[in-house]
Each structure stands twice: as structure tokens, then as C-alpha cells.
Amino acid sequence: MATRYLIPGGDGNYNSTSNWSATDGGVSGATFPVAADDIIINANSLDAPITVNVVSACRSFNASNYTGTWTISNNFSVNGTAATGNITLSSGMTITGSASFIKVPTSTTGVITSNGVVFNCNFIFQTTATTTTTITGAMQVDGNITWPLNTAGSTNTINGSTLSIGGDIIHNSPVAGTATIEMIGSTTATITQVATRYLFNNLIINKTGILNINNLYWGTTSRTLTYTSGIVNHTGTLFATASTTLNTNGMTWNILNPAGTISFTSIFNADTISKASGSFNFQGTHPFTINNLSLSSATSIIFANSLTYTINQSLLAYMTTSGTFRAVSSTGCNLDVAPTATIALYRGTFLYINARTKTLRVYKPVSFTNTQNMLSISGNINQYSSTI
Amino acid sequence: MEYNILNRRESLTVFTEVEFVFDGVSETIEIAHFEPKSEEEIVQNIKNRYESEILKRSLE
């Protein structure tokens, strides 16, 4: 274990002893840093550039008073455990390259302090177990960010400031924490996940380009998913956990699979809201506008008071025996179902719903002659009332 | 009833109603800003939305 200081006058290749000294401001000739070594870059480095010309590693990376360029041509790992594996960048320095800057926290804590420096390369949180990393000051990665497959399914916790990502999120193990994840930039990007490996953090979509999402497993209690800008092509299902907030007016989801209570703080647009079994509670300050609502084996479907929910194509509500389809209270809500939409209701008690545009109605005697599949009544019909 | 508040965290979303002009036609769009750090961030988000709306219209 040693400390290596970047010094000027070398050839600029990471694995050359011409760039490294064993003392601050000392002479060259020290072995280049390896996984157990600490790298220090400071004013005595005189902004000497370094190219990571071979796969390389160090224990910690500490740069200050340095405005030189660190070129990631091969993967570069910072391997230290706990507080020994911190990354501190110097304001004004450049990190760029086609390979990956890797944080390998093998223990529980580590700190990344960007000081405004952008990782203009890919970044990997290389974890094999439960880890916690703290971002001090905003962190930005213009390339892809990866949380590799963690066979244990252990959670990577990212706390602190916002982590902004210009490229893809490749997300194969759970990610949690108080840091906000923000998708930015004009580069077409994707979010790729292993199923059920949730992204638990607050998430912002704030791109000037295109974001392609298939299935997205997102959220935990009190987290918010916000759409600010970008073209979002959602082709799969948003699996949103209970007690989360969706603030995504301006884009349209394909399918929402909600768990429990979901709050909308702007109009929620989707083709379909669908889930088999559970209780569903749509709250918040705004309603949804969707094509299809399909909730089966539902113990309750609850809507916020005083809002108008719009369904354009089909409403399928298959309730349990004691299931209820209702607004929160007698204040009630409006349910606008398109006149051409299909409605299928199975069991359930309906409370405080004002269906303003379409009702299931039989008006005066009706005859069916030479028809097929016109009407199916599988239960009792209560005494006729002109208003239900 | 006994209870103990262990933690309290508040979250702020700012909503701006912005008038844009696309091909000479005025359109009002509400933009959400999750926990903005500054007014500059709000302005940048508005610019981002304008760019993405231009791109969306060019692809239609």
C-alpha cells in the first residue's frame, strides 16, 4: 500500500513510472498506482495529463488544484473500502474517454465529490454486496451508468446530491437512497433493468432527446417520478410501488401497474392501467386520462374526490365479493367513459361515482332477434331506479 | 395514542406554466421542476422542454 503523486514531465501513460513519484513534488520513478495505492493529484502535478492506457486501479483518487485531463481509454477502478475509497475531483479538471470509471465499494460507505467535474465517460458502480455511496455535490455522467448484475440482489444505496446521467442506465441490481437520479442530455438513451430490481430513488426525466423505456420497476414510499422534458418512448410496463407520486404530465406511458396508493400531482396519461389483484387507490391533486382501465380481483378501487377521471376505450373492474369501486367519500368524483367504450363490471359495490358520459342503461323493453352475444347478465339486477 | 416522529422530509416540486411559440402558434405548457436548486435550473429546464418539444414536432 503506497501513495503515488502525479508529477509533470512524464510520457502521460498511466503505467509509466515517468509520471509518478512516491513523494509530493518529488522525482519520478515510482511504480505506477495499483489497487492498494492512493493517488494524489495536486498543484505540484502542474496539470500533467494522464491517459489510462491499460486497465488500471487504485485505492483512492484525490485531485485538487488540477485542471489537467484524465483520459479513460481503459477501465479505471477506485477500489478502496469505506472511507479509504473516496473519489474527489478537482474543479476544472477533465475526465473523458471511451472506457469506464469504476467505483468498487466493497464495504458500506464511500464518497464521491465531483466539484462540478463531469464524467465524460461511462461510470460503473461495481458492487457485489450491499453498499452505500454518498455523492457530495451534484454528480454528472455523460456516458452510460451501470449497476451490474448482483447475484445476491443486494441494494446499492446512493445518498446525497443529484446524479445526472446523459447516457443509458443499465440497472441490474437494486438502487436506492436519497440521491435523485436525473436523465439528461440530447443523446438517445435507454433504461435497462433486470426484472424486479427496482430503482427506488426519486427519478427525473429531463432530456432534450429521446428516452426509450421498456419495463421500469420504480419507486418506494414517498418517492416521486417527475417528467420535465424529453421524448419518452415507453413500450412496456411501469411497475410503480405503493405510496409513490407520479408527476408526468406531458408524456404518455404504455401500461401502469400500480401497487396500492399512487398519487398524481399532474394529469397522468397512459394507454392502460392494469393489474391483477390488490387494492388500488388513486390519489393526489390530479386525475388520469387513459384508454383502458383493467383491474381484476380488486378488493377496492378508490378515486380522489372532486376529480374527473377519463377512460377512452374500456373499463374492466373485476371486484372481489366485498370489493368497492368508489370515491374517497360522499363528495364523489367524476368518471368520464367514452360513449363507445366497453364496460365490464364484475361484483362490487359502487359508491360516490358520477359517470357523466356513459352508463349501462336499459331503456324500455328491449328485444333481441337473430342476434348474438348482445347481453350477458350473470347476477341479480336491483330494483329499477331512474337514478343510480 | 403514542407516536414518535423519527424523521421528516419535505419535497418540493415547482410548476411553471410557460407560453411557447411553435411555428407561430402560441401554446401553454406546464413544466414540473423537482426540487430545483436555483432559478437558473428552472430556466434551464424550460429550455430543455422547448428543445424536446421542437424535436417531438419534427418527428411527427
Side-chain angles (χ1 to χ4, degrees):
Chain A
M1 184 169 63
T3 300
R4 289 292 179 261
Y5 298 84
L6 176 63
I7 59 170
D11 68 359
N13 287 322
Y14 185 96
N15 66 345
S16 168
T17 59
S18 68
N19 303 293
W20 304 103
S21 173
T23 58
D24 191 0
V27 297
S28 64
T31 56
F32 62 86
V34 294
D37 298 336
D38 298 317
I39 290 177
I40 294 180
I41 304 170
N42 58 21
N44 289 327
S45 304
L46 295 182
D47 294 338
I50 281 289
T51 295
V52 182
N53 60 319
V54 294
V55 175
S56 303
C58 67
R59 188 175 71 160
S60 69
F61 186 96
N62 191 319
S64 63
N65 298 302
Y66 173 79
T67 59
T69 298
W70 194 267
T71 302
I72 311 294
S73 298
N74 288 271
N75 285 354
F76 174 71
S77 304
V78 178
N79 291 358
T81 63
T84 64
N86 293 344
I87 297 171
T88 302
L89 305 180
S90 175
S91 177
M93 74 179 288
T94 298
I95 296 181
T96 188
S98 58
S100 297
F101 199 116
I102 302 172
K103 179 76 177 81
V104 186
T106 59
S107 185
T108 57
T109 60
V111 180
I112 299 175
T113 304
S114 296
N115 286 317
V117 177
V118 174
F119 289 90
N120 186 16
C121 59
N122 299 321
F123 196 97
I124 299 175
F125 285 94
Q126 186 77 51
T127 66
T128 58
T130 301
T131 62
T132 300
T133 304
T134 300
I135 297 173
T136 302
M139 177 177 172
Q140 181 173 330
V141 175
D142 279 355
N144 303 330
I145 198 160
T146 302
W147 286 273
L149 182 62
N150 178 332
T151 55
S154 299
T155 300
N156 308 272
T157 298
I158 311 291
N159 289 332
S161 301
T162 300
L163 171 55
S164 299
I165 304 159
D168 301 336
I169 290 180
I170 302 160
H171 170 7
N172 296 327
S173 55
V175 178
T178 61
T180 295
I181 308 295
E182 183 181 27
M183 306 289 292
I184 64 169
S186 60
T187 303
T188 297
T190 61
I191 299 179
T192 305
Q193 284 178 311
V194 167
T196 75
R197 299 290 173 93
Y198 274 79
L199 177 64
F200 293 108
N201 304 60
N202 289 317
L203 176 63
I204 303 172
I205 300 171
N206 191 8
K207 293 191 69 68
T208 54
I210 297 171
L211 177 61
N212 295 314
I213 306 174
N214 186 10
N215 290 332
L216 177 60
Y217 296 83
W218 170 81
T220 190
T221 299
S222 80
R223 294 293 187 248
T224 300
L225 197 164
T226 304
Y227 170 80
T228 296
S229 68
I231 297 176
V232 181
N233 296 321
H234 181 227
T235 55
T237 301
L238 169 62
F239 296 89
T241 55
S243 304
T244 54
T245 297
L246 298 177
N247 183 3
T248 60
N249 189 26
M251 60 162 288
T252 301
W253 297 93
N254 185 33
I255 300 172
L256 168 66
N257 181 302
T261 300
I262 305 290
S263 294
F264 303 130
T265 51
S266 60
I267 295 176
F268 180 80
N269 301 292
D271 181 76
T272 299
I273 296 178
S274 174
K275 187 167 183 180
S277 83
S279 62
F280 308 97
N281 193 338
F282 302 105
Q283 293 302 311
T285 56
H286 287 70
F288 58 64
T289 296
I290 62 176
N291 287 330
N292 307 291
L293 179 65
S294 176
L295 301 173
S296 58
S297 299
T299 54
S300 67
I301 302 174
I302 302 174
F303 300 90
N305 284 338
S306 307
L307 297 180
T308 297
Y309 296 84
T310 302
I311 300 173
N312 295 319
Q313 294 180 3
S314 69
L315 164 58
L316 281 72
Y318 291 6
M319 316 295 293
T320 59
T321 302
S322 58
T324 58
F325 186 107
R326 55 177 289 170
V328 173
S329 71
S330 58
T331 301
C333 71
N334 299 320
L335 186 63
D336 284 358
V337 182
T340 56
T342 57
I343 297 178
L345 306 176
Y346 182 68
R347 290 181 176 159
T349 300
F350 296 83
L351 295 169
Y352 316 134
I353 302 290
N354 178 15
R356 299 190 307 177
T357 54
K358 179 180 172 70
T359 58
L360 181 63
R361 181 185 177 95
V362 176
Y363 182 70
K364 293 189 174 178
V366 176
S367 298
F368 297 91
T369 303
N370 294 328
T371 61
Q372 296 180 5
N373 302 319
M374 290 296 296
L375 183 65
S376 174
I377 300 175
S378 302
N380 294 331
I381 297 178
N382 291 332
Q383 180 178 353
Y384 169 76
S385 171
S386 60
T387 302
I388 297 177
Chain B
M1 179 189 78
E2 284 190 37
Y3 67 91
N4 184 20
I5 297 176
L6 299 176
N7 192 21
R8 175 180 170 138
R9 181 174 180 275
E10 296 184 1
S11 176
L12 172 68
T13 297
V14 172
F15 294 91
T16 54
E17 200 170 314
V18 182
E19 182 179 44
F20 293 117
V21 177
F22 303 109
D23 294 328
V25 178
S26 174
E27 187 172 332
T28 300
I29 296 176
E30 183 179 80
I31 303 169
H33 314 269
F34 180 76
E35 298 186 343
K37 304 297 185 296
S38 64
E39 287 299 310
E40 287 75 21
E41 184 172 319
I42 290 175
V43 170
Q44 184 59 56
N45 288 348
I46 291 171
K47 292 178 180 177
N48 290 347
R49 184 62 172 268
Y50 178 76
E51 279 191 55
S52 70
E53 291 291 332
I54 291 287
L55 178 61
K56 182 167 69 176
R57 284 159 176 75
S58 73
L59 296 175
E60 288 173 348

